[in-house]
Amino acid sequence: MIGGITARVLKNKKLTIFIMVFVLLAGVYSYVKLPRQENPDISAPMAQIFIRYPGSSSLEVEKYVIKPIEDKIVELEGFDYSESVSRNGVGSVFLKLMEDIDTDKAWDDLAKLMDEVKMELPQEVSEITVNTDLTQTPGMIISLSSNSYDADALADYGDYLKNSLSQIDGVKKFEVIGEVQKQVEIIAKPIEINQWGLTSADLISKIQGANVSIPQGSVESQSGRIQLTVKNKFEDINYIENISVASSGITENLKLKDVADVKVVTDPYAANYGRNGTRTVFLVGYFEDTLNVVTVGKEVDSVMDSLNKNIPNDIEFNTLMYQPEDVDNAVKGFMKNLFQAVFFVLLVVLFGMGKKNAIVVSTAIPLSIAFTMIVMYIAGVKLENMSIAGLIIALGMLVDNAIVVSDAIQHHLDQGVDPDEAAILGTKEVSFSILTSTLTTIFAFMPLLLLKSTLGEFIYGVPFVVTVSLIGSYICAIITIPVISSLVLKPSIGQQKEKKSRIRQFYMNTLRKTLGKAKYIYIAAVVFVLIGFTAASSLVSSILPKADKSLIQIDIQSEFSSDIKKTEQLKDQVITLLSDMPELTNYYSSVGSNLPKFYMSVQYRAPEPSIGQLAYEFDLSKSQRFVKKEDLQAFIQERLRENLIGGSASTYLLDLASISTPIQFRLIGTDLERLDQVSSELSEVLHKTPGTMNVSDNFKSREYQFQVEIQEMIASARGLSEYGIQKELSTALLRQPISQIKKNGKHIPIFIHYDIEDKDEVSNLMIKSPISQDFIALDEVAEIQLDSQYPVINHYNGQRSVTITSDLMKGYSVAEVERNIKEHIEGSNYEDIQFEFNGMMAKLQENNASLGQLALFSIFMILAVLILQFHSYSQPIVVLSTVPIAVAAALLGLSIARQPLSFVAMLSLVSLMGIVVNNAIVLIDAIKFFCQGGMELKQACITAVNRRYRPIMLSTITTVIGLIPLLISGGELFRPLAVSLISGLTFSTFITILIIPNLFLSITNARNKWRRKS
């Protein structure tokens, strides 16, 4: 069949060359149009449900709000797990779905479930919001900073920029973050209200009644019917102050300003942002996923330059993150590595095969890459770090098939065969072996292609690109290489033949000496494998390294759960403690919320008064004490841990993907007191464990609160209900939204509360009896006591829980720290607590387990291909004997180079299975070919090695050389992969040339001997 295809394309050389040119041009077009980004998309299916229940305690939120929602969301198809937080007045539920679920349908179902659950919640629940964009990362974050303008004015300039930038093709949306909402605050005076016999309900009714807009219809005129409206004056503070609040028994014209202070304020609980201590708002942009963000970024730059002329000079612009520039730099860097690899590969082919053979073989590279770009464009696979790394990994393998075919064609040309006939014979001779070797490599990468997890999604570009490019290289080998060979290659001259035989002399002499008596070679191979796998025990396990970013993230957590001013003070402490460090340059800050998501691994935290965040830019070139960023982080963390008062701060270097903290485990129980005790003990154990940092837990110890205990019998006798008392208390103490005004296109909410500061004023709060119309002091019908309560209650899958986390300093073992914790747990009396470890080791084991299962399937498929090719069970075993040698060499290489056994290194071990067997396949195929021609078995082994020596060595050298740029400049992510592949391929190739012929000879002789006996 292959011979027929090759013969047809040789008859239509001009059409074949035309198609080659078309593929190259289409590849260039696809490359230009391909969407670009720095890192792969990770669209983990997650949602956050936020609920506001004013006036309730954390226990009430847990019982009446969170529990019904948790019971409901488990009905969602693909539900994985949930985490919830109950606080005073608010609650939130974090929901995670399984990876392969239809998220659009799931979120529609979630909306329906929320509509259903609303019927079960208390009437006082004022807000339920669902956010399903937790993993969405902006394409750009620009800060607008100035102390000459308030946040509103800065936001107005941000809106001006947003309106123009949103019109650019490729921009999905822009939003302004940091605008502090204006509010009308009505502070009622209890004494004056009581003197006039008013209640909070009276005030609210009068205010709402003055802010009415009722449709008035229309009237007839000469020009037709004209709409009639009544001008609403309810947009002026003076008008609101002068609202009449007199009740029916009051004859005087009592105004609102007589019993309350009315003023415009900023939202006291709103998050605020800054840059280097200067007031800041952020312009946050999102790009379309299907377009080249670098091109869109250039258009954004152009529009920004023209708009900036209309922005005051004392407003400073800076970028917290700007994806177009990051992507452009990352893609240029990787493409530089790719071109370097192409150059090295061509150089090797040139010196190994001669000028004409190098021309022939090298055509496979641009054609295969162009084919890959076309398929990527059609399939919607983006150009990012992983897909480009896949190209670099595949690069050396792209010429493997071409080398084998070219070498076979050259052999027939040297025998005096016509060029076209030599092309047909040479291609047909090796076609099945290169097909099986291509399939085995593709099957080796298949587990990575099918891995269903966040990590699988992250690395998807590598196996996809390798698979597509190998398919492209095989098509080139059987179609374009024969055509070009027939046009370019000529018979070799005798001097070249002699030179080639000298290069092989050492191996050929060694093979002749050992063939049939290779016991010591077998023993040496087994010892080497044992050494390699023993070296694996010294390797440090990890998932993914830190991102190559000069940013340190600091998450702060105040001890005061509802006081945003305390969080502001905590943030200022952090800034002061770090102010003398020259390595730290600029910083961005937030209080009451996270900063806009400035990197894909930044974890979402729901806005609340007790949290804050800082992002520090750093420059290690300015440092005389820190060489590595991990050292800088450890120093900052220790300084903050020792000196921070009133809260905690956790420092993070940015991760390539949000997978899990190194150490993370969960305590599950029913008794909050017990969870408090055990979590404190285990946090202390972690603090004392060498190498740990950022030790924290999400449990909040008791806080003192005033508790009102209503005496129901007394209240009832005085004509008061428990509901009426609670409602009056809620209005008096909470900032209740009662109405809103519309001004300059913006809605400004109106809040009301009483001017009450201390317990005595609460005790003297007068409540009007609807029956007797008397005013009764609160302390006459209730007792107010100081009590301690848990302000925060956490759940995991509906059960009370505490999560303890810790980072690790570089060089420390996650497994060792977890072992210490587990030993402490086993030696303690914690039978009433359930423990779940779900940190990096658990994630690594989970992914490795999935990878292992898929690897078994991969081995099965490789075996099936080998059995199909060789029609034997023993010969595939001979082929697979190279795998343990290659894996052992890879592990030994990682150990010598002091590289971690990261997940990326693990994927290189899996992919080695398919790569290293190719040499064995080509070698055994040649041995069988010569045996079928009547050659004696031992001589066939020697002749096969002699014939296939050059393509085997060149294939290995080109693959290894192609990985050199990745080794040098691939960073912490790709260096372990390059080390693993280079060491595994290099050693296995050298040993394959000796072991495979010996094993084949031994097994064949043993089988023949057994057959003679039987």
PDB file of all heavy atoms in Angstrom, residues 84 127 171 181 200 234 271 310 314 388 409 423 441 447 493 550 556 565 598-599 647 661 667 764 796 839 896 991:
ATOM      1  N   SER A  84     -17.918  25.894  52.669  1.00  0.00           N
ATOM      2  CA  SER A  84     -18.740  27.054  53.009  1.00  0.00           C
ATOM      3  C   SER A  84     -18.182  27.773  54.221  1.00  0.00           C
ATOM      4  O   SER A  84     -17.443  27.190  55.027  1.00  0.00           O
ATOM      5  CB  SER A  84     -20.190  26.627  53.275  1.00  0.00           C
ATOM      6  OG  SER A  84     -20.267  25.853  54.453  1.00  0.00           O
ATOM      7  N   GLU A 127     -29.955  39.102  49.956  1.00  0.00           N
ATOM      8  CA  GLU A 127     -29.160  39.023  48.729  1.00  0.00           C
ATOM      9  C   GLU A 127     -28.608  37.621  48.557  1.00  0.00           C
ATOM     10  O   GLU A 127     -28.090  37.018  49.487  1.00  0.00           O
ATOM     11  CB  GLU A 127     -27.998  40.038  48.801  1.00  0.00           C
ATOM     12  CG  GLU A 127     -27.093  40.023  47.594  1.00  0.00           C
ATOM     13  CD  GLU A 127     -25.898  40.955  47.782  1.00  0.00           C
ATOM     14  OE1 GLU A 127     -25.836  41.666  48.797  1.00  0.00           O
ATOM     15  OE2 GLU A 127     -25.011  40.941  46.903  1.00  0.00           O
ATOM     16  N   VAL A 171     -11.425  42.651  22.283  1.00  0.00           N
ATOM     17  CA  VAL A 171     -11.619  42.946  23.704  1.00  0.00           C
ATOM     18  C   VAL A 171     -12.992  42.440  24.124  1.00  0.00           C
ATOM     19  O   VAL A 171     -14.012  42.804  23.541  1.00  0.00           O
ATOM     20  CB  VAL A 171     -11.506  44.459  23.978  1.00  0.00           C
ATOM     21  CG1 VAL A 171     -11.936  44.776  25.405  1.00  0.00           C
ATOM     22  CG2 VAL A 171     -10.074  44.928  23.755  1.00  0.00           C
ATOM     23  N   GLN A 181     -18.356  53.498  46.479  1.00  0.00           N
ATOM     24  CA  GLN A 181     -19.731  53.948  46.262  1.00  0.00           C
ATOM     25  C   GLN A 181     -20.149  54.989  47.305  1.00  0.00           C
ATOM     26  O   GLN A 181     -19.906  54.844  48.489  1.00  0.00           O
ATOM     27  CB  GLN A 181     -20.688  52.756  46.321  1.00  0.00           C
ATOM     28  CG  GLN A 181     -22.102  53.100  45.890  1.00  0.00           C
ATOM     29  CD  GLN A 181     -23.001  51.884  45.955  1.00  0.00           C
ATOM     30  OE1 GLN A 181     -22.937  51.113  46.893  1.00  0.00           O
ATOM     31  NE2 GLN A 181     -23.844  51.727  44.949  1.00  0.00           N
ATOM     32  N   SER A 200     -38.652  53.907  64.303  1.00  0.00           N
ATOM     33  CA  SER A 200     -37.845  53.775  63.086  1.00  0.00           C
ATOM     34  C   SER A 200     -38.745  53.464  61.891  1.00  0.00           C
ATOM     35  O   SER A 200     -38.498  53.921  60.771  1.00  0.00           O
ATOM     36  CB  SER A 200     -36.794  52.682  63.265  1.00  0.00           C
ATOM     37  OG  SER A 200     -37.420  51.442  63.559  1.00  0.00           O
ATOM     38  N   PHE A 234     -36.231  63.922  44.575  1.00  0.00           N
ATOM     39  CA  PHE A 234     -35.541  63.094  45.562  1.00  0.00           C
ATOM     40  C   PHE A 234     -34.129  62.737  45.062  1.00  0.00           C
ATOM     41  O   PHE A 234     -33.771  61.589  44.846  1.00  0.00           O
ATOM     42  CB  PHE A 234     -36.331  61.805  45.793  1.00  0.00           C
ATOM     43  CG  PHE A 234     -36.048  61.168  47.122  1.00  0.00           C
ATOM     44  CD1 PHE A 234     -36.738  61.546  48.258  1.00  0.00           C
ATOM     45  CD2 PHE A 234     -35.094  60.170  47.244  1.00  0.00           C
ATOM     46  CE1 PHE A 234     -36.476  60.955  49.485  1.00  0.00           C
ATOM     47  CE2 PHE A 234     -34.827  59.579  48.466  1.00  0.00           C
ATOM     48  CZ  PHE A 234     -35.519  59.966  49.586  1.00  0.00           C
ATOM     49  N   ALA A 271     -14.054  47.937  49.705  1.00  0.00           N
ATOM     50  CA  ALA A 271     -12.620  47.696  49.559  1.00  0.00           C
ATOM     51  C   ALA A 271     -11.947  48.945  49.015  1.00  0.00           C
ATOM     52  O   ALA A 271     -12.527  49.699  48.234  1.00  0.00           O
ATOM     53  CB  ALA A 271     -12.399  46.518  48.608  1.00  0.00           C
ATOM     54  N   ASN A 310      -5.970  63.354  27.289  1.00  0.00           N
ATOM     55  CA  ASN A 310      -7.094  64.000  27.970  1.00  0.00           C
ATOM     56  C   ASN A 310      -7.141  63.673  29.459  1.00  0.00           C
ATOM     57  O   ASN A 310      -8.110  64.028  30.127  1.00  0.00           O
ATOM     58  CB  ASN A 310      -8.408  63.574  27.307  1.00  0.00           C
ATOM     59  CG  ASN A 310      -8.458  63.940  25.836  1.00  0.00           C
ATOM     60  OD1 ASN A 310      -8.005  65.017  25.451  1.00  0.00           O
ATOM     61  ND2 ASN A 310      -8.986  63.048  25.014  1.00  0.00           N
ATOM     62  N   ASP A 314      -1.257  64.607  36.709  1.00  0.00           N
ATOM     63  CA  ASP A 314      -0.981  64.118  38.064  1.00  0.00           C
ATOM     64  C   ASP A 314      -1.688  62.787  38.357  1.00  0.00           C
ATOM     65  O   ASP A 314      -1.736  62.348  39.495  1.00  0.00           O
ATOM     66  CB  ASP A 314      -1.357  65.165  39.116  1.00  0.00           C
ATOM     67  CG  ASP A 314      -2.772  65.694  38.945  1.00  0.00           C
ATOM     68  OD1 ASP A 314      -3.417  65.327  37.941  1.00  0.00           O
ATOM     69  OD2 ASP A 314      -3.220  66.477  39.810  1.00  0.00           O
ATOM     70  N   ILE A 388       4.390  25.228  22.609  1.00  0.00           N
ATOM     71  CA  ILE A 388       5.700  25.470  21.997  1.00  0.00           C
ATOM     72  C   ILE A 388       6.723  24.477  22.530  1.00  0.00           C
ATOM     73  O   ILE A 388       7.572  23.980  21.787  1.00  0.00           O
ATOM     74  CB  ILE A 388       6.161  26.921  22.257  1.00  0.00           C
ATOM     75  CG1 ILE A 388       5.179  27.901  21.624  1.00  0.00           C
ATOM     76  CG2 ILE A 388       7.550  27.150  21.679  1.00  0.00           C
ATOM     77  CD1 ILE A 388       5.466  29.351  21.927  1.00  0.00           C
ATOM     78  N   ILE A 409      16.739   4.793   1.043  1.00  0.00           N
ATOM     79  CA  ILE A 409      16.771   5.176  -0.380  1.00  0.00           C
ATOM     80  C   ILE A 409      18.216   5.314  -0.849  1.00  0.00           C
ATOM     81  O   ILE A 409      18.577   4.856  -1.945  1.00  0.00           O
ATOM     82  CB  ILE A 409      15.993   6.496  -0.595  1.00  0.00           C
ATOM     83  CG1 ILE A 409      14.504   6.288  -0.316  1.00  0.00           C
ATOM     84  CG2 ILE A 409      16.200   7.021  -2.012  1.00  0.00           C
ATOM     85  CD1 ILE A 409      13.692   7.580  -0.315  1.00  0.00           C
ATOM     86  N   ALA A 423      13.612   5.195  -4.580  1.00  0.00           N
ATOM     87  CA  ALA A 423      12.696   5.869  -3.648  1.00  0.00           C
ATOM     88  C   ALA A 423      11.554   4.946  -3.261  1.00  0.00           C
ATOM     89  O   ALA A 423      11.159   4.879  -2.084  1.00  0.00           O
ATOM     90  CB  ALA A 423      12.166   7.145  -4.265  1.00  0.00           C
ATOM     91  N   THR A 441       5.275   5.932  19.695  1.00  0.00           N
ATOM     92  CA  THR A 441       5.537   7.236  20.326  1.00  0.00           C
ATOM     93  C   THR A 441       4.229   7.974  20.607  1.00  0.00           C
ATOM     94  O   THR A 441       4.049   8.556  21.681  1.00  0.00           O
ATOM     95  CB  THR A 441       6.437   8.099  19.424  1.00  0.00           C
ATOM     96  OG1 THR A 441       7.605   7.370  19.081  1.00  0.00           O
ATOM     97  CG2 THR A 441       6.837   9.387  20.137  1.00  0.00           C
ATOM     98  N   PRO A 447      -1.475   8.900  27.277  1.00  0.00           N
ATOM     99  CA  PRO A 447      -1.960   9.133  28.654  1.00  0.00           C
ATOM    100  C   PRO A 447      -2.024  10.608  29.013  1.00  0.00           C
ATOM    101  O   PRO A 447      -2.924  11.044  29.734  1.00  0.00           O
ATOM    102  CB  PRO A 447      -0.920   8.401  29.518  1.00  0.00           C
ATOM    103  CG  PRO A 447      -0.353   7.354  28.634  1.00  0.00           C
ATOM    104  CD  PRO A 447      -0.342   7.952  27.260  1.00  0.00           C
ATOM    105  N   ILE A 493      29.975   8.110  -3.221  1.00  0.00           N
ATOM    106  CA  ILE A 493      31.277   7.733  -3.780  1.00  0.00           C
ATOM    107  C   ILE A 493      31.985   6.814  -2.799  1.00  0.00           C
ATOM    108  O   ILE A 493      31.698   6.793  -1.601  1.00  0.00           O
ATOM    109  CB  ILE A 493      32.122   8.987  -4.080  1.00  0.00           C
ATOM    110  CG1 ILE A 493      32.352   9.812  -2.799  1.00  0.00           C
ATOM    111  CG2 ILE A 493      31.445   9.849  -5.145  1.00  0.00           C
ATOM    112  CD1 ILE A 493      33.291  10.986  -3.016  1.00  0.00           C
ATOM    113  N   SER A 550       8.605  38.226  38.820  1.00  0.00           N
ATOM    114  CA  SER A 550       9.238  38.971  39.921  1.00  0.00           C
ATOM    115  C   SER A 550       8.180  39.658  40.773  1.00  0.00           C
ATOM    116  O   SER A 550       8.154  40.875  40.932  1.00  0.00           O
ATOM    117  CB  SER A 550      10.230  39.995  39.359  1.00  0.00           C
ATOM    118  OG  SER A 550      11.260  39.357  38.655  1.00  0.00           O
ATOM    119  N   ILE A 556      -3.104  39.070  53.740  1.00  0.00           N
ATOM    120  CA  ILE A 556      -3.196  39.419  55.156  1.00  0.00           C
ATOM    121  C   ILE A 556      -4.583  39.089  55.689  1.00  0.00           C
ATOM    122  O   ILE A 556      -5.570  39.145  54.973  1.00  0.00           O
ATOM    123  CB  ILE A 556      -2.844  40.909  55.405  1.00  0.00           C
ATOM    124  CG1 ILE A 556      -3.774  41.837  54.628  1.00  0.00           C
ATOM    125  CG2 ILE A 556      -1.403  41.188  55.016  1.00  0.00           C
ATOM    126  CD1 ILE A 556      -3.524  43.315  54.911  1.00  0.00           C
ATOM    127  N   LYS A 565     -11.124  48.860  59.495  1.00  0.00           N
ATOM    128  CA  LYS A 565     -10.056  49.785  59.916  1.00  0.00           C
ATOM    129  C   LYS A 565      -8.884  49.029  60.520  1.00  0.00           C
ATOM    130  O   LYS A 565      -7.731  49.413  60.342  1.00  0.00           O
ATOM    131  CB  LYS A 565     -10.620  50.809  60.900  1.00  0.00           C
ATOM    132  CG  LYS A 565     -11.619  51.776  60.274  1.00  0.00           C
ATOM    133  CD  LYS A 565     -12.135  52.784  61.288  1.00  0.00           C
ATOM    134  CE  LYS A 565     -13.135  53.740  60.646  1.00  0.00           C
ATOM    135  NZ  LYS A 565     -13.689  54.709  61.627  1.00  0.00           N
ATOM    136  N   PHE A 598      -4.297  39.033  39.411  1.00  0.00           N
ATOM    137  CA  PHE A 598      -3.164  39.434  38.594  1.00  0.00           C
ATOM    138  C   PHE A 598      -2.349  38.254  38.068  1.00  0.00           C
ATOM    139  O   PHE A 598      -1.371  38.447  37.347  1.00  0.00           O
ATOM    140  CB  PHE A 598      -2.251  40.395  39.372  1.00  0.00           C
ATOM    141  CG  PHE A 598      -1.820  39.902  40.736  1.00  0.00           C
ATOM    142  CD1 PHE A 598      -0.681  39.151  40.892  1.00  0.00           C
ATOM    143  CD2 PHE A 598      -2.577  40.215  41.861  1.00  0.00           C
ATOM    144  CE1 PHE A 598      -0.286  38.709  42.153  1.00  0.00           C
ATOM    145  CE2 PHE A 598      -2.190  39.781  43.122  1.00  0.00           C
ATOM    146  CZ  PHE A 598      -1.041  39.020  43.262  1.00  0.00           C
ATOM    147  N   TYR A 599      -2.723  37.021  38.455  1.00  0.00           N
ATOM    148  CA  TYR A 599      -2.076  35.840  37.884  1.00  0.00           C
ATOM    149  C   TYR A 599      -3.012  34.660  38.054  1.00  0.00           C
ATOM    150  O   TYR A 599      -3.859  34.636  38.954  1.00  0.00           O
ATOM    151  CB  TYR A 599      -0.720  35.562  38.534  1.00  0.00           C
ATOM    152  CG  TYR A 599       0.182  34.687  37.693  1.00  0.00           C
ATOM    153  CD1 TYR A 599       0.707  35.153  36.494  1.00  0.00           C
ATOM    154  CD2 TYR A 599       0.483  33.391  38.074  1.00  0.00           C
ATOM    155  CE1 TYR A 599       1.521  34.358  35.711  1.00  0.00           C
ATOM    156  CE2 TYR A 599       1.301  32.585  37.297  1.00  0.00           C
ATOM    157  CZ  TYR A 599       1.822  33.073  36.121  1.00  0.00           C
ATOM    158  OH  TYR A 599       2.617  32.280  35.330  1.00  0.00           O
ATOM    159  N   GLY A 647      -2.947  40.212  63.576  1.00  0.00           N
ATOM    160  CA  GLY A 647      -3.344  39.407  62.423  1.00  0.00           C
ATOM    161  C   GLY A 647      -2.169  38.610  61.901  1.00  0.00           C
ATOM    162  O   GLY A 647      -1.124  38.500  62.545  1.00  0.00           O
ATOM    163  N   THR A 661      -1.574  23.805  47.914  1.00  0.00           N
ATOM    164  CA  THR A 661      -0.401  24.130  48.711  1.00  0.00           C
ATOM    165  C   THR A 661       0.338  22.830  49.027  1.00  0.00           C
ATOM    166  O   THR A 661      -0.266  21.760  49.059  1.00  0.00           O
ATOM    167  CB  THR A 661      -0.804  24.838  50.012  1.00  0.00           C
ATOM    168  OG1 THR A 661      -1.807  24.057  50.663  1.00  0.00           O
ATOM    169  CG2 THR A 661      -1.347  26.213  49.726  1.00  0.00           C
ATOM    170  N   LEU A 667      -9.530  18.925  59.062  1.00  0.00           N
ATOM    171  CA  LEU A 667     -10.101  18.303  60.254  1.00  0.00           C
ATOM    172  C   LEU A 667     -11.616  18.403  60.141  1.00  0.00           C
ATOM    173  O   LEU A 667     -12.144  19.482  59.869  1.00  0.00           O
ATOM    174  CB  LEU A 667      -9.648  19.021  61.529  1.00  0.00           C
ATOM    175  CG  LEU A 667      -8.183  18.921  61.979  1.00  0.00           C
ATOM    176  CD1 LEU A 667      -7.239  19.617  61.020  1.00  0.00           C
ATOM    177  CD2 LEU A 667      -8.044  19.522  63.378  1.00  0.00           C
ATOM    178  N   ASN A 764     -30.983  51.389  76.714  1.00  0.00           N
ATOM    179  CA  ASN A 764     -32.003  52.424  76.834  1.00  0.00           C
ATOM    180  C   ASN A 764     -32.796  52.646  75.542  1.00  0.00           C
ATOM    181  O   ASN A 764     -33.590  53.578  75.468  1.00  0.00           O
ATOM    182  CB  ASN A 764     -31.342  53.750  77.242  1.00  0.00           C
ATOM    183  CG  ASN A 764     -30.767  53.669  78.655  1.00  0.00           C
ATOM    184  OD1 ASN A 764     -31.337  53.002  79.521  1.00  0.00           O
ATOM    185  ND2 ASN A 764     -29.636  54.333  78.869  1.00  0.00           N
ATOM    186  N   TYR A 796     -17.042  21.594  55.182  1.00  0.00           N
ATOM    187  CA  TYR A 796     -16.602  20.878  53.982  1.00  0.00           C
ATOM    188  C   TYR A 796     -17.628  19.785  53.724  1.00  0.00           C
ATOM    189  O   TYR A 796     -17.860  18.924  54.577  1.00  0.00           O
ATOM    190  CB  TYR A 796     -15.207  20.267  54.169  1.00  0.00           C
ATOM    191  CG  TYR A 796     -14.751  19.459  52.975  1.00  0.00           C
ATOM    192  CD1 TYR A 796     -14.291  20.090  51.824  1.00  0.00           C
ATOM    193  CD2 TYR A 796     -14.808  18.068  52.993  1.00  0.00           C
ATOM    194  CE1 TYR A 796     -13.883  19.363  50.719  1.00  0.00           C
ATOM    195  CE2 TYR A 796     -14.403  17.331  51.889  1.00  0.00           C
ATOM    196  CZ  TYR A 796     -13.936  17.974  50.760  1.00  0.00           C
ATOM    197  OH  TYR A 796     -13.541  17.246  49.666  1.00  0.00           O
ATOM    198  N   GLY A 839      -3.103  17.852  50.236  1.00  0.00           N
ATOM    199  CA  GLY A 839      -2.084  18.787  49.769  1.00  0.00           C
ATOM    200  C   GLY A 839      -1.424  18.299  48.497  1.00  0.00           C
ATOM    201  O   GLY A 839      -1.985  17.511  47.732  1.00  0.00           O
ATOM    202  N   ILE A 896      21.637  13.245  39.410  1.00  0.00           N
ATOM    203  CA  ILE A 896      22.944  13.885  39.235  1.00  0.00           C
ATOM    204  C   ILE A 896      22.786  15.388  39.009  1.00  0.00           C
ATOM    205  O   ILE A 896      23.552  16.204  39.539  1.00  0.00           O
ATOM    206  CB  ILE A 896      23.698  13.237  38.054  1.00  0.00           C
ATOM    207  CG1 ILE A 896      24.062  11.784  38.401  1.00  0.00           C
ATOM    208  CG2 ILE A 896      24.958  14.020  37.710  1.00  0.00           C
ATOM    209  CD1 ILE A 896      24.609  10.986  37.233  1.00  0.00           C
ATOM    210  N   ILE A 991      23.230   1.486  24.671  1.00  0.00           N
ATOM    211  CA  ILE A 991      23.105   0.116  25.156  1.00  0.00           C
ATOM    212  C   ILE A 991      22.221  -0.720  24.234  1.00  0.00           C
ATOM    213  O   ILE A 991      22.385  -1.942  24.115  1.00  0.00           O
ATOM    214  CB  ILE A 991      22.565   0.097  26.603  1.00  0.00           C
ATOM    215  CG1 ILE A 991      22.963  -1.220  27.315  1.00  0.00           C
ATOM    216  CG2 ILE A 991      21.075   0.263  26.652  1.00  0.00           C
ATOM    217  CD1 ILE A 991      24.411  -1.300  27.651  1.00  0.00           C
TER     218      ILE A 991
END
